[in-house]
Amino acid sequence: MYDTRKITHGSEQVGMATTTEGGSTGFVNSTGIQKFAPSVDQDTKTIYADATTHMSLVNPKKLTIEMDNLQYNETEMNQMGYKLVNGGYVDGGSYPTFDIQRILTVQSADGTTTQKLEVYYNATSTAYKESDDEDEDEIKPKVYTRTLTVAGRSFDTVGNVKQFIVERTKTNATVFDTYKTKILTPTDFKSVV
């Protein structure tokens, strides 16, 4: 027998806030996101001795997010090291840490849908790279791509958390729905478990 079959649809309502010692501040939503693709890499190396495998070394997991945007707001420009000075951006060279979250829609085989929240803690961003689509015969806007590296943040007894995933239920709906105004954490859901 199979579990309930589900399909997950696109990234919606991506929000972010600057990481602080006590959590995060300055929540803003992003617009124009075309791609939000988290991936986990973990390198392994096999060491051979005596004509057999002696040991396999496993490096820590590295969580990155590849993002494509059509535009950036001031907060996102700041994350990439740019500061707004006298109405224009200058390369300030500092890359602040931030938390970022997105909403996904999960659809079951019977057609019912629910929301799923994914939160990533203590991320840093590379500067953006822009596409070079410059064809006058086609309507093709430039796409700006950047990569986020997620380091994680410590929560109570949970330890270092890089990613937190939670689906909306009747029980947690009140807490879950605050995602529109703040970055949610595992501790926010303590009272509804």
Side-chain angles (χ1 to χ4, degrees):
M1 183 157 141
Y2 291 106
D3 287 335
T4 303
R5 295 177 186 206
K6 296 178 178 180
I7 298 290
T8 302
H9 299 279
S11 297
E12 305 168 34
Q13 301 174 50
V14 174
M16 55 198 70
T18 303
T19 302
T20 63
E21 195 170 303
S24 53
T25 60
F27 184 85
V28 295
N29 284 304
S30 185
T31 56
I33 292 181
Q34 290 194 317
K35 177 181 173 185
F36 189 103
S39 64
V40 177
D41 293 320
Q42 188 171 28
D43 295 330
T44 60
K45 180 167 179 79
T46 304
I47 308 296
Y48 297 96
D50 303 322
T52 62
T53 300
H54 181 70
M55 181 185 298
S56 289
L57 302 176
V58 181
N59 286 339
K61 292 178 182 176
K62 183 178 179 185
L63 175 58
T64 59
I65 302 169
E66 189 83 14
M67 288 183 69
D68 287 353
N69 284 57
L70 294 175
Q71 64 191 49
Y72 289 122
N73 60 38
E74 185 178 343
T75 298
E76 291 166 314
M77 291 295 286
N78 182 262
Q79 292 166 354
M80 294 181 285
Y82 297 97
K83 294 180 182 178
L84 188 59
V85 176
N86 300 329
Y89 288 99
V90 297
D91 186 350
S94 84
Y95 296 87
T97 59
F98 58 97
D99 299 332
I100 187 166
Q101 66 187 18
R102 69 173 171 169
I103 288 291
L104 300 161
T105 300
V106 179
Q107 184 173 3
S108 297
D110 64 2
T112 59
T113 61
T114 188
Q115 291 179 312
K116 179 169 71 172
L117 177 72
E118 290 183 356
V119 191
Y120 301 88
Y121 302 103
N122 208 11
T124 53
S125 175
T126 61
Y128 67 83
K129 298 175 188 170
E130 62 180 66
S131 64
D132 59 356
D133 299 331
E134 300 268 353
D135 189 346
E136 291 181 14
D137 297 332
E138 293 183 40
I139 301 174
K140 231 177 177 181
K142 280 193 176 294
V143 176
Y144 301 95
T145 301
R146 65 182 176 145
T147 302
L148 312 182
T149 301
V150 180
R153 186 158 36 110
S154 185
F155 292 99
D156 289 342
T157 58
V158 181
N160 189 50
V161 177
K162 291 184 178 185
Q163 180 183 30
F164 175 56
I165 303 169
V166 62
E167 280 194 30
R168 187 181 191 276
T169 64
K170 289 179 184 176
T171 308
N172 73 14
T174 304
V175 174
F176 187 98
D177 291 343
T178 63
Y179 76 84
K180 296 173 184 175
T181 58
K182 70 177 199 169
I183 298 290
L184 291 174
T185 68
T187 53
D188 290 329
F189 289 86
K190 265 186 175 179
S191 62
V192 293
V193 176

